[in-house]
Amino acid sequence: LKKYRYADLTWPEIKEYSKQNRVVIFPIGMIEDHGPHLPVDSDSRSVEEICDRVGKTAPDEVLVIPTLPYGFSPHHMDFPGPLTIRGNLLTEVVFDVCKSLIHHGFHKIALVNNHGSNGCWLEAAARMVVVEHPDTQCAKVDWWTLREFKEAFAKVRESEAPGGVSHACEIETSLYLYLRPEMVDMKKAVKDISFPKSDHFWFDMAGTGPGGGGKDSSAFMMEYWSTLSKTGIMGDATKGTAEKGKIILDSIVEGIVNVVRELRDRPIRQRVDHH
Ligand SMILES: [Zn+2]
C-alpha cells in the first residue's frame, strides 16, 4: 500500500516523506450554487477527486493534503448556498498552511484551484510563500488553463464559444455526471448564456473567444452573479455527459502530474544580492 494522503500518515512517516522531494498538493474548492441541477459542493468534490487521482497516478512523487472546501464568492450571495470567506483571509489561511508544511521540511507545493474567484488570492499566497521562503517553490494551478485539458476538451466540446463553459456548465456538469451521476438532475439542466457579451468582455473557462485572453476575456470584470445569470448557470449545462467528464478528468490529472514532475525537477536557485 502506497500512501499519498497526508492525513493518513503518522508523524514518523511525515518526517520520512519530507526527505523525498515530494510535491505537496493542496486542493482548494468552494461551496456555492451550481445551478438548479448540481450540488453546491461541485468545486470541492471535483478538486478532491482530481487531486486524489493525481496521488494514485504518482504515489511516490506527491503528498495530497486535505481539501480546503471554502473560498471567495461574495458576488454569488444573491443565490442560496455560497459559504464565502474573505479573500485576504483565504490568502492567509493558505499561506499559513504552506508555512506549516515548510516547517515540517516540504519545499515544493502546488495549490490546485477549482474556483475561478479564488485565483488571485491563491496567486498572492503562492507569491508570498516564495518571497518569504526562498528555499521553497509554491505554484498555483487553475486546472482549466492546463494545455492538456484545453486540447482534450476542444475535441469534445459541443457548446457555443465563447460562453458555453463558465460555471455549472458543459464542463462542470460533465465532471459531476462522471463522478456522482445519482446527484445530478439533468431535467433541470439548462443553457444560460444571458450575460452581456462584447468584443473584450466575455466569459469562457476554456479561453475561446474574440479579443484575446487565455481564460475569459482580456478585459476582466466580475459583477454580481445575479446580474450575469438567471439560473446560476453560466454556459450550457445541457451539453454535459459522463463520457466527456471522464475525458476532462483524465486530461486534468495528466496535466497536473506533468506540473508535479516539472516542479520536482525544477532547481531552487540561490538568490544573488547585487548591492
Ligand atoms: Zn464550479
Side-chain angles (χ1 to χ4, degrees), residues 30 32-34 38 42-44 46 114-116 166-168 172 205:
M30 182 56 193
E32 73 177 358
D33 54 290
H34 271 75
L38 290 180
S42 178
D43 288 351
S44 296
S46 299
N114 204 105
H115 172 60
S166 185
H167 182 78
E172 292 197 305
M205 69 194 285

Side-chain angles (χ1 to χ4, degrees), residues 81-98:
L83 300 178
T84 186
I85 63 172
R86 286 157 288 153
N88 59 333
L89 185 63
L90 175 60
T91 300
E92 291 193 25
V93 167
V94 170
F95 179 76
D96 278 6
V97 171
C98 291

Side-chain angles (χ1 to χ4, degrees), residues 19-86:
K19 298 182 180 111
Q20 298 169 354
N21 189 33
R22 285 173 182 262
V23 173
V24 178
I25 306 270
F26 189 167
I28 298 128
M30 182 56 193
I31 300 291
E32 73 177 358
D33 54 290
H34 271 75
H37 67 303
L38 290 180
V40 292
D41 77 341
S42 178
D43 288 351
S44 296
R45 180 77 60 166
S46 299
V47 79
E48 186 154 306
E49 280 288 342
I50 289 164
C51 294
D52 198 66
R53 281 159 205 247
V54 170
K56 280 198 180 78
T57 308
D60 300 318
E61 297 162 273
V62 303
L63 188 53
V64 183
I65 67 169
T67 300
L68 179 64
Y70 308 116
F72 179 73
S73 224
H75 53 293
H76 266 263
M77 292 300 266
D78 290 334
F79 290 91
L83 300 178
T84 186
I85 63 172
R86 286 157 288 153

Side-chain angles (χ1 to χ4, degrees), residues 151-166:
E151 287 176 358
F153 180 62
K155 290 186 192 130
V156 296
R157 180 173 186 155
E158 292 178 280
S159 62
E160 66 183 68
V165 293
S166 185

